[in-house]
Every structure is written in structure tokens, then in C-alpha cells.
Amino acid sequence: MNRFFLISSRALGAAFVACLLATPLRAQRPGELDRSFAPKLGVKPQVNAILVQSDGRFLIGGSFESFDGPGRRAIARLNDDGSFDPTFAPGSTADDAILSMAQHTDGRIVVAGRFTQFNGLPRTRIARLNRDGSLDTNFAPNISTPVGTSLISQ
């Protein structure tokens, strides 16, 4: 199933993520809103990036302070129906916005943004996370210039 994601920080004063189907599923036509996808509208102020993972779950990254309760600053993982996935545990996360994300073939995730720390450790503008969301402490590049808003993984 192919999905397209629409991100808008204007809907109801909170970030809103909608999912459109690209192929028929459950008698829906391509392009129809997938009503089984029901994320909570608790992300404030905005989502900057979405990363769809191979298992159907996806990550959202941005400048939000919480998602589905406290403790999910800047990054969270959602199940394929939009519900919060508590098994992704990134700790205290980034101290500023995440602007972009990419996934390695081994499942690790690279995040980039305006942050200078991740989980209290120096990680200027780029960090790599393990599959469970924990910081990969073996990856510590020294980047001092601003990072663009796109990451590509090969």
C-alpha cells in the first residue's frame, strides 16, 4: 500500500497529519482519505518531517514539545493507524527542532535539524538513532554549519 502524507501546521491550531491512499484498500478509491488513520492532534507547534518505515510505522519530527502526553519532544513514532508507539524510546531527545530524517537499510535513523544536543550529549545538527530510538553514541560527526532540510539515505 502506498500512502502520501500531508502536513499542515494550520489545522485546528496544531500540527495535523492526514494520510491519503494511493492504492485501493478496504473498498476505498485512490486519493481518498484513509479514515482508519487517526493520529491525535496533540502536536504543537509543528511537524517538519515524516519518515515512513518499512514495517508501516512512521516517525514524525519537528519542533513540538509533546505528543500523546509529555516526554515526546521533537520526535515520536506512530503505528500505521496513527496511534502513538510507546516502544520507540528516544529519551530526552533533541534540544531544538528536527527538520529532516532518513533511515539506513539496517533500520537506524539519521535526524538533522537545529539542535546542538541529543539526550544531553553534544550532537550539533545531526544524530543517529538505533531502531528503538536510543542515541547511537558511535556516530558523532562534528558539523558546525546549518543543515538543510533534506536527508537522503542510500
Side-chain angles (χ1 to χ4, degrees):
M1 172 178 56
N2 294 322
R3 288 181 165 176
F4 297 97
F5 295 92
L6 169 68
I7 305 172
S8 172
S9 60
R10 302 276 185 245
L12 303 175
F16 175 74
V17 181
C19 177
L20 300 176
L21 293 177
T23 57
L25 179 71
R26 293 184 291 268
Q28 294 178 329
R29 294 185 310 266
E32 278 189 336
L33 185 64
D34 180 356
R35 300 210 184 275
S36 69
F37 181 80
K40 294 189 177 190
L41 298 178
V43 180
K44 295 181 182 178
Q46 79 185 49
V47 172
N48 297 321
I50 293 178
L51 173 66
V52 181
Q53 298 184 295
S54 59
D55 62 3
R57 295 181 293 185
F58 61 95
L59 296 168
I60 57 172
S63 59
F64 51 90
E65 293 294 323
S66 66
F67 183 87
D68 196 28
R72 286 296 187 252
R73 177 187 175 141
I75 190 168
R77 185 163 63 191
L78 305 178
N79 295 306
D80 65 355
D81 64 356
S83 63
F84 175 69
D85 179 3
T87 65
F88 184 77
S92 61
T93 73
D95 64 348
D96 205 338
I98 291 175
L99 302 175
S100 185
M101 299 180 287
Q103 187 170 13
H104 288 283
T105 56
D106 65 4
R108 290 181 296 178
I109 302 134
V110 177
V111 296
R114 293 189 299 257
F115 55 88
T116 58
Q117 291 189 353
F118 204 100
N119 283 351
L121 296 175
R123 292 295 186 274
T124 304
R125 296 182 173 75
I126 192 165
R128 186 167 63 194
L129 309 179
N130 296 308
R131 290 177 174 203
D132 64 357
S134 63
L135 181 65
D136 180 352
T137 56
N138 295 319
F139 181 82
N142 186 10
I143 297 176
S144 59
T145 59
V147 176
T149 56
S150 296
L151 283 174
I152 298 173
S153 178
Q154 293 184 333

